[in-house]
Amino acid sequence: MYKNLKILIIDVGHGGTDPGAVGNGIVEKVANLNTALALKAAAEAMGIKVFINRTADVTMSLEVRVKFANDIARQYPGAKILFVSIHHNAGGGDRAEAIHSIYRGEGQRAANLIANELHSHLGQQKKVYEKRGSDNKDYYYVIRNTSMDAVIVEVAFLDNINDVQICDSVEEQQRNGQVIACAIGKFFGVISSCNDNGEVIKPNPTHTPSPSNELYRVRKLWGDAASQKGAYSIKENAIAECKKHSGYNVYDSNGNCVYSNGGSQTSQPESKPVPPQTRKLDVFYKVFTAEDGWLPEVKNLTDYAGVFGHAIRGLMIRLSSGNVDYKVSTLSSNGYYPTVRNHEDYAGDLKNNVDKVQILNNKLKYRVRLINGRWLPWVIGNSDFAGLEGYSIDAIEIDSI
């Protein structure tokens, strides 16, 4: 049970082929993402565990958004979880809106806190409400079908020349994310105000963290993947996590130490799981997640492939010489997908979470990590499969034997 854990799930509205509202030169999907990323960074700085369903301009169906949230809820039974969907509106209004379930509860409290912060810090008029559909259930899909308290936030009306003035720059969109984070912090009881004056400090745009293709890992040693506390696309977030753990370092994807909190080793180790002079075979592998796309390729056990908390949806493997055949199954498949060889294709469908992996090469050993944080035992070749049917995996390690 995770009764002391506080989780924020951020749903970034629209994206990809769905631009959302457009007004006064602002495209909603872009404003939503800028606001959500700032919200994520600020909430994590308060010690809240954050999951976000997109960090790039990608298309996501409502079904995928709901499944993303409900999967997390199943993985953390007993945790206090809030789902917040970030949007901007159109239609000529002049206010911020926060929509909660018809069943009210904690979602209503969160909606009121968010609306109040947007009003007090930005001067926004506010409206907090619920909406019923013709079937007398919640009208909005993500509120109706998520298993936790959920709120939809409409920060401002983009087609109102007055209202848009609070969100017509990246810096203002980021500030708005911090304002919402202030409300989230109060909801979870981790802060009483945003600062001593009850005001949100507008971020300096030259120092606002932004995600990248780099992943910064918090570990005791570069080669000690089991000690990892987290992997972050924003270096500042990795450093903040590292500061909580004495003896840990922050490493970039190349194994270079970029921050140390007293770790005993601050550079990539020279030793390998198998000494270079005796290794006969190198294995290279990479994975796909909905949040990150294809992640950087990993060689042998220099790292694991994946991001903790982000379910794997695709896998590619190749060898330094010879062929490797492999296959996966997903939560929604009846059995394995067709076997794949090398990089001729990928294993999986990129839409559903992988739960089992089998590598049909007895020169390789491999193991996977369940998204709840548990590494499963090593498997050799096709003697068994790695995984647990019905449970998503978020990391894999492969090496030759």
Side-chain angles (χ1 to χ4, degrees):
M1 297 291 288
Y2 297 85
K3 64 179 181 179
N4 295 320
L5 184 62
K6 300 170 177 63
I7 296 177
L8 171 64
I9 301 174
I10 304 175
D11 171 45
V12 188
H14 306 283
T17 58
D18 176 14
V22 179
N24 293 295
I26 307 298
V27 179
E28 183 186 359
K29 66 177 183 178
V30 177
N32 292 346
L33 184 57
N34 290 334
T35 302
L37 290 174
L39 166 59
K40 177 179 183 292
E44 287 177 333
M46 299 177 196
I48 299 168
K49 188 173 184 65
V50 181
F51 295 88
I52 188 168
N53 60 15
R54 73 174 179 93
T55 57
D57 185 19
V58 296
T59 305
M60 295 187 71
S61 69
L62 292 175
E63 292 81 5
V64 168
R65 295 170 188 271
V66 165
K67 187 176 186 305
F68 175 85
N70 290 343
D71 282 350
I72 293 168
R74 282 192 291 269
Q75 292 151 19
Y76 294 94
K80 185 172 184 178
I81 305 177
L82 179 66
F83 175 97
V84 175
S85 184
I86 301 297
H87 287 265
H88 292 71
N89 218 332
D94 184 7
R95 61 182 178 270
E97 297 182 350
I99 308 151
H100 59 80
S101 170
I102 60 174
Y103 303 107
R104 303 184 178 182
E106 286 289 88
Q108 183 182 37
R109 184 170 74 88
N112 279 305
L113 284 168
I114 292 169
N116 289 342
E117 293 302 318
L118 291 171
H119 172 71
S120 62
H121 293 297
L122 306 180
Q124 277 290 73
Q125 297 300 311
K126 61 181 181 178
K127 180 181 180 180
V128 178
Y129 64 100
E130 61 196 57
K131 186 172 181 179
R132 293 178 183 267
S134 58
D135 57 359
N136 210 35
K137 297 179 180 179
D138 277 303
Y139 175 80
Y140 292 102
Y141 188 92
V142 295
I143 293 180
R144 184 172 70 248
N145 292 289
T146 47
S147 61
M148 68 291 298
D149 292 304
V151 178
I152 297 174
V153 181
E154 301 277 4
V155 178
F157 281 76
L158 300 181
D159 59 347
N160 182 307
I161 192 63
N162 295 315
D163 213 24
V164 77
Q165 292 179 20
I166 71 159
C167 60
D168 58 359
S169 70
V170 172
E171 293 78 17
E172 288 172 332
Q173 293 160 11
Q174 292 169 335
R175 175 207 57 198
N176 298 345
Q178 288 192 322
V179 171
I180 296 170
C182 180
I184 302 303
K186 291 181 177 180
F187 173 81
F188 283 121
V190 297
I191 62 168
S192 58
S193 62
C194 298
N195 62 20
D196 292 339
N197 299 318
E199 300 172 349
V200 172
I201 300 174
K202 184 176 178 179
N204 183 338
T206 61
H207 292 92
T208 300
S210 59
S212 67
N213 291 327
E214 179 68 84
L215 279 177
Y216 298 94
R217 294 168 169 84
V218 181
R219 300 176 173 180
K220 287 184 177 180
L221 304 172
W222 168 249
D224 185 6
S227 71
Q228 181 160 303
K229 297 297 185 181
Y232 302 83
S233 59
I234 298 173
K235 182 166 70 172
E236 288 82 357
N237 291 346
I239 292 173
E241 179 67 24
C242 187
K243 288 179 178 179
K244 302 175 186 177
H245 307 284
S246 178
Y248 277 73
N249 304 309
V250 177
Y251 296 96
D252 65 19
S253 294
N254 295 316
N256 300 310
C257 180
V258 297
Y259 177 83
S260 177
N261 187 16
S264 61
Q265 181 175 330
T266 57
S267 61
Q268 183 174 353
E270 295 180 1
S271 60
K272 305 292 183 181
V274 179
Q277 64 270 23
T278 62
R279 178 177 288 277
K280 301 294 185 182
L281 187 67
D282 288 314
V283 55
F284 304 86
Y285 52 105
K286 61 182 179 180
V287 300
F288 178 95
T289 73
E291 299 86 353
D292 313 291
W294 285 106
L295 290 164
E297 189 173 67
V298 175
K299 178 182 178 181
N300 304 322
L301 296 184
T302 56
D303 200 354
Y304 59 82
V307 175
F308 289 175
H310 295 183
I312 292 173
R313 295 186 171 183
L315 172 66
M316 297 183 76
I317 309 172
R318 65 182 179 91
L319 303 177
S320 56
S321 62
N323 297 317
V324 56
D325 297 323
Y326 53 101
K327 57 185 179 180
V328 304
S329 69
T330 69
L331 298 181
S332 63
S333 64
N334 294 318
Y336 288 99
Y337 284 83
T339 299
V340 175
R341 172 166 290 187
N342 304 326
H343 277 192
E344 294 173 2
D345 200 353
Y346 55 80
D349 60 12
L350 308 189
K351 297 179 181 179
N352 296 288
N353 297 353
V354 172
D355 62 354
K356 294 189 295 184
V357 176
Q358 188 171 50
I359 301 176
L360 309 177
N361 188 316
N362 290 327
K363 295 180 180 179
L364 301 179
K365 66 175 184 177
Y366 53 103
R367 66 173 183 166
V368 300
R369 180 186 185 271
L370 300 181
I371 205 164
N372 67 9
R374 179 162 61 100
W375 282 99
L376 295 179
W378 287 96
V379 175
I380 296 177
N382 60 1
S383 63
D384 200 351
F385 63 83
L388 192 59
E389 186 171 356
Y391 291 84
S392 301
I393 63 175
D394 61 6
I396 184 170
E397 290 184 319
I398 310 174
D399 198 15
S400 61
I401 54 177

